[in-house]
Amino acid sequence: MNSQEIIAKKRDKKELTKKEIEYFVKEYVKGNIPDYQAAALVMAIYLNGMTKEETTNLTLEMANSGDILDLSSLGKTVVDKHSTGGVGDKITIILMPVIASLGIPVAKMSGRGLGFTGGTVDKLESIPGYNTSVEIDKFIENVKKTGISIIGQTSNLAPADKKLYALRDSIGCVDNMSLISSSIMSKKIAAGAEKIVLDVTVGSGAFMKTKEDAIYIAKMMKDIGKLANRETVCVLTNMNEPVGKAVGNTLEILETIECLKGNIPEDIKEIILAIGSYIIKLAGEGENLEENKERILENIKNGKAYNKFLELIQNQNGDISYIKNPEKFQKAKYIMPLYAEKTGHIEKLDARQVGVTSVHLGAGRIKKEDSIDHAVGIWLEKKIGDKVKQGDILAYVHVNNEDTGKTAIEELKQAYRIADNPVKMESYILDII
Ligand code: URA
């Protein structure tokens, strides 16, 4: 068996065997297969697809490419959560402290931004001092101590995914169903949680553009979960417009603080209630989804979730004085408004365009090695369904370079469409699979 034959087989639209997938993944992780050959195989997979069996074999091989965490010492069912990616998606950072405040352990490994989508690790790192790269022992110790830890993927957790994820990003091969589901499920299987709730995003700011695609990938990930003995629930959420008002790292932490103080925009509220109620159910802590939703709202209202957020940050060496006094966060040099050109109702706010613009501002990476600017981003004052008058402020661009800001305003203008008549609102939760 050699790598050229495997690449040629997929190029010719043939099905790879378990042994061929095993060989390729193992040798790539060891460094015996160069990036250019892995890129050729990934591109062939992207163009020609993979069967369910190939996808399952790829997932299990990637999960087994490094450590498989054992969380049994926590003594309780751990439910993991992961999103397939979106714009302004700060759901993990808001919801997981709520879950921990209900006594359900949270041991969560998150990712960095990918393409035009943001990443939880980048957002958390905008809190001065917050350490996202702790050793596994310390990670588990933190969960035992406070019931919650959120960190980045450790170097030996699904290392095959780590390499392939960066490679896919650099060759324009992120949005492929088999590659996305194997990437997510390999990490989730390796991260040790017994049960998994997935936020499968659908729409312009997601990798799955249609509900049909999202249902397909959700079923595929559920089947893989079953095979690996991990019960999986997928919540399909709308990503045609960004989640909440903030897009960009510090801005999203500022919005998170507000949400945990009870000031929650409707879309965020519906999403945290839908996903959170299933996490509680899967953890064996409440069969009734409506009651679970009440408990989530109650722990936000009584401040327990906010206090858990402070504990999380303190345990990861973050400086909680920033959370208590949000004005301490470094602001961008320029805060530039985008004005409505006509009176009407917001009909469209294209999440993808907002995500791309935020990357151009410096909130995300164009190349893997790029550093990000935590302070920059976009604050959306008006969203789909809102009534506007000509001259109203639609959004603010937070930027450190005036020319970049002017270009961003022009780009952002394209994201909005204003209709004369009131628009019909889309649901935030599209399906549960
Ligand atoms: N999130 C992941 O972890 N992997 C992907 O491929 C896409 C989103």
Side-chain angles (χ1 to χ4, degrees):
M1 196 179 314
N2 69 48
S3 35
Q4 288 97 317
E5 281 166 14
I6 296 172
I7 297 165
K9 200 169 168 188
K10 193 36 75 186
R11 179 201 63 198
D12 296 340
K13 303 186 169 67
K14 297 200 178 107
E15 187 169 355
L16 300 179
T17 63
K18 186 171 185 322
K19 285 227 150 28
E20 286 164 336
I21 291 172
E22 252 175 49
Y23 169 84
F24 206 97
V25 171
K26 278 206 173 77
E27 295 304 313
Y28 181 50
V29 172
K30 279 193 220 151
N32 296 336
I33 292 179
D35 271 343
Y36 57 81
Q37 284 191 321
L41 180 65
V42 168
M43 185 59 85
I45 292 172
Y46 185 90
L47 295 173
N48 297 332
M50 272 186 144
T51 62
K52 276 200 173 165
E53 197 165 345
E54 284 176 300
T55 308
T56 305
N57 287 333
L58 178 63
T59 310
L60 298 179
E61 194 50 39
M62 292 210 297
N64 286 317
S65 65
D67 299 333
I68 302 273
L69 290 197
D70 178 3
L71 300 176
S72 59
S73 67
L74 296 173
K76 274 189 158 182
T77 305
V78 179
V79 184
D80 207 345
K81 180 256 168 203
H82 200 89
S83 158
T84 56
V87 178
D89 183 354
K90 69 278 297 171
I91 298 298
T92 289
I93 316 177
I94 301 168
L95 176 60
M96 295 324 254
V98 185
I99 296 297
S101 75
L102 290 164
I104 300 167
V106 173
K108 166 109 183 76
M109 287 191 197
S110 291
R112 293 193 183 275
L114 185 65
F116 59 87
T117 66
T120 297
V121 168
D122 293 330
K123 293 169 200 188
L124 287 171
E125 285 179 353
S126 60
I127 302 168
Y130 193 110
N131 183 6
T132 57
S133 56
V134 303
E135 292 302 319
I136 289 299
D137 290 350
K138 177 81 181 143
F139 172 61
I140 293 182
E141 190 188 310
N142 277 352
V143 183
K144 282 185 180 156
K145 194 163 131 201
T146 54
I148 182 166
S149 187
I150 306 178
I151 63 170
Q153 185 182 346
T154 57
S155 57
N156 207 30
L157 190 113
D161 171 61
K162 231 179 180 181
K163 279 187 92 169
L164 282 170
Y165 192 85
L167 185 76
R168 284 166 54 210
D169 195 22
S170 68
I171 60 169
C173 286
V174 171
D175 52 342
N176 170 277
M177 305 263 204
S178 291
L179 295 174
I180 293 175
S181 46
S182 58
S183 164
I184 291 177
M185 291 307 285
S186 64
K187 281 189 289 253
K188 297 295 101 180
I189 292 167
E194 286 167 58
K195 318 236 172 165
I196 302 162
V197 178
L198 298 173
D199 181 352
V200 180
T201 51
V202 192
S204 89
F207 297 123
M208 274 61 68
K209 305 293 179 207
T210 64
K211 191 171 165 191
E212 290 68 41
D213 280 355
I215 291 174
Y216 179 84
I217 200 172
K219 287 188 174 156
M220 186 142 80
M221 292 194 287
K222 257 181 103 84
D223 286 349
I224 296 171
K226 204 171 192 179
L227 237 137
N229 207 15
R230 308 289 206 274
E231 188 183 351
T232 304
V233 171
C234 296
V235 179
L236 270 56
T237 62
N238 190 334
M239 192 54 77
N240 274 326
E241 68 175 340
V243 181
K245 294 185 164 201
V247 178
N249 301 288
T250 298
L251 294 177
E252 292 192 44
I253 293 296
L254 292 173
E255 188 171 33
T256 296
I257 297 168
E258 276 306 302
C259 289
L260 288 171
K261 285 182 176 167
N263 307 316
I264 320 175
E266 201 47 40
D267 55 348
I268 294 185
K269 188 165 154 188
E270 279 196 32
I271 299 169
I272 64 165
L273 292 180
I275 297 176
S277 59
Y278 272 96
I279 293 180
I280 299 170
K281 183 176 158 116
L282 262 53
E285 298 283 339
E287 270 302 307
N288 186 314
L289 292 172
E290 292 312 310
E291 278 172 25
N292 295 348
K293 290 178 185 174
E294 288 304 317
R295 289 165 69 195
I296 291 170
L297 292 176
E298 179 59 28
N299 269 24
I300 293 176
K301 204 164 154 199
N302 63 23
K304 286 186 181 166
Y306 174 77
N307 288 336
K308 194 51 85 179
F309 182 53
L310 292 179
E311 273 184 74
L312 158 72
I313 293 166
Q314 205 154 24
N315 257 325
Q316 306 287 148
N317 280 333
D319 184 347
I320 57 169
S321 71
Y322 282 77
I323 308 299
K324 291 183 171 171
N325 307 288
E327 63 286 351
K328 278 182 78 173
F329 277 101
Q330 187 169 5
K331 288 188 185 55
K333 213 155 137 196
Y334 304 95
I335 299 177
M336 302 166 73
L338 166 68
Y339 297 103
E341 287 180 341
K342 62 180 260 193
T343 296
H345 301 261
I346 306 290
E347 184 182 38
K348 185 173 168 202
L349 171 52
D350 183 13
R352 187 176 200 283
Q353 181 62 59
V354 176
V356 168
T357 303
S358 77
V359 172
H360 293 165
L361 291 170
R365 297 175 190 78
I366 292 173
K367 294 195 301 300
K368 168 163 90 66
E369 325 58 73
D370 290 348
S371 57
I372 57 170
D373 185 341
H374 287 111
V376 302
I378 297 160
W379 188 273
L380 304 161
E381 285 293 328
K382 301 288 181 193
K383 296 191 63 188
I384 295 177
D386 287 345
K387 212 168 154 181
V388 290
K389 285 206 298 291
Q390 186 182 23
D392 278 356
I393 293 172
L394 296 178
Y396 290 100
V397 166
H398 292 237
V399 62
N400 280 319
N401 176 297
E402 206 174 356
D403 287 339
T404 308
K406 283 182 187 158
T407 311
I409 290 282
E410 287 310 309
E411 286 178 7
L412 201 53
K413 216 180 262 176
Q414 308 305 319
Y416 277 100
R417 192 166 67 221
I418 301 174
D420 294 333
N421 298 318
V423 299
K424 192 171 169 286
M425 296 293 288
E426 293 175 5
S427 316
Y428 300 120
I429 307 299
L430 305 178
D431 214 338
I432 312 267
I433 306 241

